[in-house]
Coordinates of all heavy atoms in Angstrom, one line a residue:
L158 N -10.3 6.3 4.6 CA -9.2 5.7 3.7 C -9.3 4.2 3.7 O -9.6 3.6 4.7 CB -7.8 6.2 4.2 CG -7.4 7.6 4.0 CD1 -5.9 7.8 4.5 CD2 -7.5 8.1 2.6
D159 N -9.0 3.6 2.6 CA -8.8 2.2 2.4 C -10.1 1.4 2.5 O -10.5 0.7 1.5 CB -7.8 1.6 3.4 CG -6.4 2.1 3.3 OD1 -6.1 2.6 2.2 OD2 -5.7 2.1 4.3
F170 N -14.7 9.1 0.6 CA -14.1 7.8 0.6 C -13.0 7.7 -0.4 O -13.3 8.0 -1.6 CB -15.1 6.7 0.4 CG -14.5 5.3 0.4 CD1 -13.7 4.8 1.4 CD2 -14.8 4.5 -0.7 CE1 -13.1 3.6 1.3 CE2 -14.3 3.2 -0.8 CZ -13.5 2.7 0.2
I171 N -11.8 7.4 0.0 CA -10.6 7.4 -1.0 C -10.0 6.0 -0.8 O -9.6 5.7 0.3 CB -9.6 8.5 -0.7 CG1 -10.3 9.9 -1.0 CG2 -8.4 8.4 -1.7 CD1 -9.4 11.1 -0.6
A172 N -9.9 5.3 -1.9 CA -9.3 3.9 -1.8 C -8.7 3.5 -3.2 O -9.1 4.0 -4.2 CB -10.3 2.9 -1.4
M173 N -7.7 2.6 -3.1 CA -7.2 2.1 -4.4 C -8.2 1.2 -5.0 O -9.1 0.7 -4.3 CB -5.8 1.4 -4.1 CG -5.8 0.4 -3.0 SD -6.2 -1.3 -3.5 CE -5.7 -2.2 -2.0
D174 N -8.0 0.9 -6.3 CA -9.0 0.0 -7.0 C -8.8 -1.4 -6.6 O -7.9 -2.1 -7.1 CB -8.7 0.2 -8.5 CG -9.8 -0.3 -9.4 OD1 -10.5 -1.3 -8.9 OD2 -10.0 0.2 -10.5
H175 N -9.7 -1.9 -5.7 CA -9.6 -3.2 -5.2 C -9.9 -4.3 -6.3 O -9.2 -5.3 -6.4 CB -10.7 -3.4 -4.1 CG -10.5 -2.5 -3.0 ND1 -11.6 -2.0 -2.2 CD2 -9.4 -1.9 -2.4 CE1 -11.1 -1.2 -1.3 NE2 -9.8 -1.1 -1.4
T176 N -10.9 -4.0 -7.2 CA -11.2 -5.0 -8.2 C -10.1 -5.1 -9.2 O -9.7 -6.3 -9.6 CB -12.5 -4.5 -9.0 OG1 -13.6 -4.4 -8.0 CG2 -12.8 -5.5 -10.0
R177 N -9.5 -4.0 -9.6 CA -8.3 -4.1 -10.5 C -7.1 -4.8 -9.9 O -6.4 -5.5 -10.5 CB -8.0 -2.7 -10.9 CG -6.7 -2.6 -11.8 CD -6.9 -3.2 -13.1 NE -5.8 -2.9 -14.0 CZ -5.5 -3.6 -15.1 NH1 -6.3 -4.6 -15.5 NH2 -4.5 -3.2 -15.9
T178 N -6.9 -4.6 -8.6 CA -5.8 -5.2 -7.8 C -6.0 -6.7 -7.9 O -5.0 -7.4 -8.3 CB -5.8 -4.8 -6.4 OG1 -5.6 -3.4 -6.3 CG2 -4.8 -5.5 -5.6
V310 N 1.4 -5.5 -6.3 CA 0.5 -4.5 -6.8 C 0.8 -3.2 -6.1 O 0.6 -3.1 -4.9 CB -0.9 -4.9 -6.7 CG1 -1.8 -3.8 -7.3 CG2 -1.2 -6.2 -7.5
D311 N 1.3 -2.2 -6.8 CA 1.7 -0.9 -6.1 C 0.4 -0.1 -6.1 O -0.2 0.2 -7.1 CB 2.7 -0.2 -7.0 CG 3.1 1.1 -6.4 OD1 2.8 1.4 -5.2 OD2 3.8 1.9 -7.1
V312 N 0.0 0.3 -4.9 CA -1.2 1.1 -4.7 C -0.9 2.6 -4.7 O -1.8 3.4 -4.6 CB -1.9 0.7 -3.3 CG1 -2.2 -0.8 -3.3 CG2 -1.1 1.1 -2.1
M313 N 0.3 3.0 -4.9 CA 0.7 4.4 -5.0 C 0.2 5.3 -3.9 O -0.7 6.1 -4.1 CB 0.3 4.9 -6.4 CG 1.1 4.2 -7.5 SD 0.8 4.9 -9.2 CE -0.8 4.1 -9.6
P314 N 0.7 5.1 -2.7 CA 0.2 5.9 -1.5 C 0.4 7.4 -1.7 O -0.3 8.1 -1.1 CB 1.0 5.3 -0.4 CG 2.3 4.7 -1.0 CD 1.8 4.1 -2.3
E315 N 1.4 7.8 -2.5 CA 1.6 9.2 -2.7 C 0.4 9.8 -3.3 O 0.0 10.9 -3.0 CB 2.8 9.4 -3.7 CG 4.2 8.9 -3.1 CD 4.4 7.5 -3.6 OE1 3.5 6.8 -4.0 OE2 5.6 7.0 -3.4
L316 N -0.2 9.1 -4.3 CA -1.4 9.6 -5.0 C -2.6 9.6 -4.0 O -3.4 10.6 -4.0 CB -1.7 8.8 -6.2 CG -2.8 9.3 -7.2 CD1 -2.4 10.8 -7.6 CD2 -2.9 8.4 -8.4
I317 N -2.7 8.6 -3.2 CA -3.8 8.6 -2.2 C -3.7 9.8 -1.3 O -4.7 10.4 -0.9 CB -3.7 7.2 -1.4 CG1 -4.1 6.1 -2.3 CG2 -4.7 7.3 -0.2 CD1 -3.9 4.7 -1.7
A318 N -2.4 10.1 -0.8 CA -2.2 11.2 0.1 C -2.6 12.5 -0.6 O -3.2 13.4 0.0 CB -0.8 11.2 0.5
Q319 N -2.3 12.7 -1.9 CA -2.6 13.9 -2.6 C -4.1 14.1 -2.6 O -4.6 15.2 -2.4 CB -2.0 13.9 -4.0 CG -0.5 13.8 -4.1 CD 0.2 15.1 -3.9 OE1 -0.5 16.1 -3.5 NE2 1.5 15.2 -4.1
Y320 N -4.8 13.1 -3.0 CA -6.3 13.2 -3.1 C -6.9 13.4 -1.7 O -7.9 14.2 -1.6 CB -6.9 11.9 -3.7 CG -6.6 11.7 -5.1 CD1 -6.5 10.5 -5.7 CD2 -6.6 12.8 -6.0 CE1 -6.3 10.3 -7.1 CE2 -6.4 12.7 -7.4 CZ -6.3 11.4 -7.9 OH -6.1 11.2 -9.2
A321 N -6.4 12.8 -0.7 CA -6.9 13.0 0.7 C -6.7 14.4 1.1 O -7.6 15.0 1.8 CB -6.3 12.0 1.7
W334 N -15.8 18.5 -2.3 CA -14.5 18.2 -2.9 C -14.6 17.5 -4.3 O -15.8 17.1 -4.6 CB -13.6 17.4 -2.0 CG -14.2 16.0 -1.7 CD1 -15.2 15.7 -0.9 CD2 -13.7 14.8 -2.1 NE1 -15.5 14.4 -0.8 CE2 -14.5 13.8 -1.6 CE3 -12.7 14.4 -3.0 CZ2 -14.3 12.4 -1.8 CZ3 -12.5 13.0 -3.2 CH2 -13.3 12.0 -2.6
D337 N -14.8 11.6 -7.9 CA -15.1 11.2 -9.3 C -16.2 10.1 -9.4 O -16.5 9.7 -10.5 CB -13.8 10.6 -10.0 CG -13.2 9.4 -9.2 OD1 -13.9 8.9 -8.3 OD2 -12.0 9.1 -9.5
K338 N -16.8 9.7 -8.3 CA -17.9 8.8 -8.3 C -18.6 8.8 -7.0 O -18.2 9.5 -6.0 CB -17.4 7.4 -8.6 CG -16.5 6.8 -7.6 CD -16.0 5.4 -7.9 CE -17.1 4.4 -8.0 NZ -16.7 3.0 -8.3
A349 N -16.7 9.6 -3.7 CA -15.5 8.8 -3.6 C -14.6 9.0 -4.7 O -14.9 9.6 -5.7 CB -16.0 7.3 -3.6
R350 N -13.3 8.6 -4.5 CA -12.3 8.7 -5.5 C -11.5 7.4 -5.4 O -11.0 7.0 -4.4 CB -11.4 9.8 -5.3 CG -10.4 10.1 -6.4 CD -10.2 11.5 -6.7 NE -9.7 11.8 -8.0 CZ -9.6 13.0 -8.6 NH1 -9.9 14.0 -7.9 NH2 -9.1 13.1 -9.8
V351 N -11.4 6.7 -6.6 CA -10.7 5.4 -6.7 C -9.4 5.7 -7.4 O -9.3 6.2 -8.5 CB -11.5 4.4 -7.4 CG1 -10.7 3.1 -7.6 CG2 -12.9 4.1 -6.7
T352 N -8.3 5.3 -6.7 CA -7.0 5.6 -7.2 C -6.4 4.4 -8.0 O -6.8 3.2 -7.7 CB -6.0 5.9 -6.1 OG1 -5.9 4.8 -5.2 CG2 -6.5 7.1 -5.3
P353 N -5.6 4.6 -9.1 CA -5.1 3.6 -9.9 C -4.1 2.7 -9.2 O -3.5 3.1 -8.2 CB -4.6 4.3 -11.1 CG -4.2 5.7 -10.6 CD -5.2 6.0 -9.5
V354 N -3.8 1.5 -9.7 CA -2.8 0.6 -9.2 C -2.0 0.1 -10.4 O -2.4 0.3 -11.6 CB -3.4 -0.6 -8.5 CG1 -4.2 -0.1 -7.2 CG2 -4.4 -1.3 -9.4
R355 N -0.9 -0.6 -10.1 CA -0.1 -1.1 -11.2 C 0.7 -2.3 -10.6 O 1.0 -2.4 -9.4 CB 0.9 -0.1 -11.7 CG 1.9 0.4 -10.6 CD 2.8 1.6 -11.2 NE 3.7 2.1 -10.1 CZ 4.5 3.1 -10.3 NH1 4.6 3.7 -11.5 NH2 5.3 3.5 -9.3

Side-chain angles (χ1 to χ4, degrees):
L158 287 186
D159 296 339
F170 175 52
I171 298 174
M173 50 92 167
D174 193 333
H175 303 148
T176 301
R177 176 65 172 162
T178 297
V310 178
D311 180 16
V312 303
M313 293 187 279
E315 300 92 345
L316 191 56
I317 293 175
Q319 297 281 8
Y320 286 149
W334 63 287
D337 59 12
K338 64 182 297 184
R350 189 142 200 174
V351 177
T352 62
V354 295
R355 59 186 179 182

